[in-house]
Amino acid sequence: MIVILADDMALGDFSFRNGGISQTPNLDRMARESVWFKQAYSASCVCAPARAAMLTGRYPHRTGVVTLNMNRYPKLTRLKHEEITLAEMLKPQGYTTGLIGKWHCGTGEEFGPLHHGFDEFEGFSGSQDLSYFRYSLTVNRQIAEVTDTYLTDDLSQRAIEFVRRHRDEPFFLHLAHYAPHRPLEAPAERVAFYQQRGLDKSTATIYAMIEIMDRGIGQLLEELDRLKLSEQTIVIFASDNGPDPITGTRFNGVLRGTKYEIYEGGIHVPLIVQWKGHFRPRKIDNVVHFVDLVPTVLELCNIEAESPSNLDGDSFAPLLVGQHRESPVRYWQWNRGRPNYTHNAAVRDGDWKFVLPFVTRKTNPMDSDRPPALYHLANDPAETNDLAQKHPERIARMKELLKQWSRSVETDRLRE
């Protein structure tokens, strides 16, 4: 099992979705040859909560990881000790577990990945400033200073070495790339290539960063083929949230919003699932969410005894083999600091999306009195036509759903 996560990569960053402006041949091929989820969602519009939910199958508020800055808000950005990660579920079943890259679910060794089920960790917490050309990695419990390898290439090679080491046993590898997250840095010749195609320097650098990540993913998939592991290995690719607005304009189709916002541009993400010889290529319209990943993996790996009963997600394994599954109701909320459920929150129920509007990225925002909005995403994926006034009964029902969910997750968040 390999789960690859990009950082701040948008749906529009794939070459096949932007008319060839970027260069992502390996991800494009993976999308063609695998199961592509057209309605896939992160659990949050920012990275730390999204990762916590993906690893636990629970909404981020329950896990203790609700905001973003681990240095400023250490108690609001660390996975509770009692939370059970996918690594902790797979390890008793004989899987060797490894995380390479970004953790971002707690600072300090006692809140690190080695205390949450990972046998091996080669990466960084996500709280420190780093350069892609000069950085520190924690290799298990030792610090390695690296100045001679571009970070993304380094992480890709470490992932390949992990597969080689554990080729003869079940393994779970989480490859958590930092690209294309800030700081925007890439080899000058690749940046120049995109600038020559008419892109500004910021976007040119982002696409150079994504190209290098794509190349490494291709090398990893080639290694699985070389080792004759492709038909024994499920590979999942996703991004933690939408594009960062601070880095400038990106090509994200009609989607409204960016990272930090619960509009589609902030939470609607790519999700590809590949298992050669088992899943035929297809595109799926059903809604899937990061909390669904853990129960899906457990079902695909035929693990029942170790699966916790308090998961928020539902397995989408039936969809992977062409069976039916209803799209469940799903929820989002984020603000910087302590959760304020009047701000930047959403519910998706079928084609309908209820939104309490985004107000600010500032810390601990005041209660918002902005009226809710209602969008029919099948007809209005750009979220431009607010139907709240036409459907007061639906607004009332979805508002109550959000209220009940908010009360539930906040109760768990405050439970010691």
Side-chain angles (χ1 to χ4, degrees):
M1 177 66 62
I2 300 177
V3 177
I4 306 171
L5 196 64
D7 199 324
D8 294 353
M9 183 177 178
L11 276 163
D13 290 337
F14 287 76
S15 177
F16 79 94
R17 294 183 65 93
N18 61 35
I21 298 171
S22 62
Q23 300 287 298
T24 56
N26 296 294
L27 286 171
D28 287 0
R29 183 171 63 252
M30 189 178 176
R32 287 195 307 272
E33 298 176 354
S34 309
V35 181
W36 170 273
F37 285 91
K38 298 166 65 176
Q39 300 289 326
Y41 287 92
S42 176
S44 179
C45 52
V46 296
C47 50
R51 292 159 194 272
M54 189 195 74
L55 288 171
T56 63
R58 285 159 55 80
Y59 284 111
H61 302 70
R62 300 194 201 278
T63 72
V65 183
V66 294
T67 190
L68 195 57
N69 189 314
M70 292 194 299
N71 294 320
R72 188 172 181 184
Y73 307 107
K75 293 183 179 180
L76 295 175
T77 49
R78 64 191 187 195
L79 204 58
K80 295 177 181 179
H81 288 303
E82 62 268 25
E83 290 296 317
I84 304 172
T85 68
L86 181 56
E88 290 173 288
M89 299 173 207
L90 293 175
K91 189 173 177 178
Q93 303 299 317
Y95 285 76
T96 298
T97 57
L99 192 157
I100 293 173
K102 183 178 179 180
W103 167 239
H104 212 170
C105 287
T107 56
E109 184 177 331
E110 69 274 24
F111 291 101
L114 297 181
H115 284 261
H116 279 289
F118 287 98
D119 296 307
E120 301 179 19
F121 173 49
E122 301 180 47
F124 48 96
S125 70
S127 66
Q128 70 273 45
D129 292 329
L130 56 80
S131 163
Y132 281 79
F133 294 102
R134 185 182 184 90
Y135 49 90
S136 299
L137 293 182
T138 299
V139 181
N140 296 321
R141 290 181 170 86
Q142 304 298 316
I143 303 298
E145 301 290 343
V146 184
T147 59
D148 60 350
T149 308
Y150 184 70
L151 174 63
T152 306
D153 285 331
D154 193 354
L155 299 180
S156 295
Q157 187 58 42
R158 290 174 187 272
I160 291 170
E161 292 299 329
F162 178 92
V163 169
R164 288 172 179 165
R165 285 197 303 274
H166 302 294
R167 59 183 293 182
D168 295 323
E169 58 192 348
F171 62 77
F172 166 50
L173 169 62
H174 178 29
L175 172 56
H177 273 297
Y178 200 42
H181 193 286
R182 288 176 280 138
L184 302 186
E185 297 177 333
E189 68 276 10
R190 298 318 303 157
V191 177
F193 170 81
Y194 290 100
Q195 286 184 291
Q196 290 166 6
R197 306 182 87 185
L199 298 180
D200 61 80
K201 186 173 182 180
S202 175
T203 307
T205 306
I206 290 169
Y207 281 171
M209 297 166 78
I210 290 174
E211 178 188 330
I212 294 167
M213 179 179 67
D214 177 88
R215 181 180 67 202
I217 290 170
Q219 292 166 351
L220 176 60
L221 296 177
E222 287 174 4
E223 187 67 11
L224 291 176
D225 287 340
R226 190 185 73 81
L227 296 174
K228 296 181 171 54
L229 293 178
S230 294
E231 294 192 6
Q232 302 175 49
T233 308
I234 300 168
V235 183
I236 298 172
F237 175 85
S239 177
D240 58 354
N241 48 250
D244 185 351
I246 297 173
T247 60
T249 303
R250 299 274 274 285
F251 307 94
N252 210 24
V254 302
L255 297 186
R256 174 183 179 180
T258 62
K259 177 179 179 177
Y260 307 113
E261 301 173 355
I262 49 70
Y263 299 110
E264 293 293 285
I267 59 174
H268 191 161
V269 296
L271 177 63
I272 305 170
V273 182
Q274 174 180 287
W275 192 6
K276 289 187 176 180
H278 297 265
F279 301 152
R280 69 172 181 82
R282 55 164 62 87
K283 292 180 174 62
I284 293 178
D285 282 315
N286 298 67
V287 173
V288 295
H289 186 284
F290 271 16
V291 296
D292 299 325
L293 186 66
V294 166
T296 301
V297 170
L298 295 177
E299 181 172 349
L300 292 174
C301 296
N302 297 312
I303 296 173
E304 297 179 3
E306 298 299 320
S307 61
S309 60
N310 58 353
L311 297 181
D312 288 311
D314 300 293
S315 172
F316 57 77
L319 298 174
L320 295 167
V321 293
Q323 298 175 8
H324 178 71
R325 189 199 81 158
E326 293 291 338
S327 293
V329 178
R330 288 291 176 247
Y331 303 87
W332 298 264
Q333 188 280 327
W334 180 79
N335 61 271
R336 198 179 300 275
R338 295 182 303 277
N340 183 328
Y341 297 95
T342 70
H343 166 84
N344 205 33
V347 182
R348 175 152 184 182
D349 183 6
D351 288 329
W352 293 96
K353 185 177 177 184
F354 170 96
V355 173
L356 294 181
F358 171 82
V359 179
T360 179
R361 294 204 305 269
K362 293 182 179 179
T363 302
N364 297 328
M366 301 289 289
D367 286 358
S368 173
D369 59 1
R370 295 191 183 184
L374 182 68
Y375 303 105
H376 190 273
L377 294 180
N379 298 329
D380 180 26
E383 298 173 290
T384 58
N385 186 18
D386 181 3
L387 301 174
Q389 295 297 320
K390 295 182 178 180
H391 297 276
E393 292 183 0
R394 184 173 292 277
I395 281 284
R397 187 176 72 82
M398 296 182 78
K399 184 176 182 179
E400 181 61 25
L401 286 174
L402 180 61
K403 182 179 178 181
Q404 293 174 6
W405 174 82
S406 301
R407 186 184 301 119
S408 173
V409 297
E410 184 67 1
T411 298
D412 274 1
R413 185 184 77 81
L414 296 174
R415 183 179 291 125
E416 292 297 333

